[in-house]
Amino acid sequence: MQKKKLSVKEFNFILKRARYDKDLFEVLYKYCTEIIKEHVIYKYGRNNFFSNVPHDAFTRFYFDYPPKKFVTSPTSYLCSCARKFMYDMYNIKDNQTLVLYDDYPYFPEYENNIEFLNLEFELKWRKLDKLTRYILYMNIFLGYKLTEIAKILNLRADYVRLKKSRAKKIFKSTE
């Protein structure tokens, strides 16, 4: 719990003057971060990010979105700021996607796990291009359907089907 609770008038006074007075800013920072920290621990529990959230939420509420009106309830105002900050952080974390460049295709190291029964089959496997090997691996070993593979690799379904049928012809041929 915070050691000294500020009254509404004191909080608003310090909030206005803190931009120009270093000591008042430190008082405001300690007071606000303590309230935000307690709220985050109460609401979300002790986890690996609760130490950073009070500072980030304070920075956001004080510098990015300062209150324009008189704050009638400082504690509830700070708690709502912390909730909004956590909600925004959650949405940002959920909406992050992995950006893959066109020049850099991703192929996992699945080939290290494949054991070949004979040399002939391994040589035919190595003749195939990486994409075809990956399509076959996903279809045969992992059990994906060809339409699912097409969606995952951002290819057309008929192209994936064609790649698989050409690979089958290579394996059926007796060279």
Side-chain angles (χ1 to χ4, degrees), residues 16-101:
K16 287 182 181 179
R17 303 283 190 264
R19 293 193 188 274
Y20 310 109
D21 189 358
K22 182 181 174 186
D23 297 330
L24 289 177
F25 181 77
E26 288 177 7
V27 168
L28 181 69
Y29 178 78
K30 287 179 184 175
Y31 178 75
C32 293
T33 52
E34 189 64 33
I35 290 174
I36 293 170
K37 181 179 176 182
E38 288 176 9
H39 177 69
V40 168
I41 291 171
Y42 170 74
K43 192 81 171 167
Y44 303 100
R46 288 188 180 270
N47 44 33
N48 59 355
F49 61 88
F50 87 96
S51 58
N52 296 334
V53 169
H55 172 73
D56 295 341
F58 173 78
T59 307
R60 186 171 184 191
F61 116 81
Y62 187 73
F63 294 109
D64 297 341
Y65 304 108
K68 294 180 173 61
K69 296 181 181 178
F70 186 83
V71 179
T72 56
S73 178
T75 305
S76 65
Y77 179 75
L78 292 172
C79 291
S80 71
C81 289
R83 264 193 316 276
K84 288 176 186 174
F85 178 77
M86 292 297 288
Y87 180 73
D88 290 347
M89 290 307 295
Y90 179 76
N91 281 343
I92 288 171
K93 190 175 183 182
D94 269 1
N95 292 332
Q96 285 180 344
T97 56
L98 179 63
V99 177
L100 294 177
Y101 299 101

Side-chain angles (χ1 to χ4, degrees), residues 22 35 50 53 70 91 103 107 116 122 159-161 173:
K22 182 181 174 186
I35 290 174
F50 87 96
V53 169
F70 186 83
N91 281 343
D103 300 358
F107 293 103
F116 297 101
E122 185 176 358
Y159 181 70
V160 172
R161 195 175 323 112
S173 68

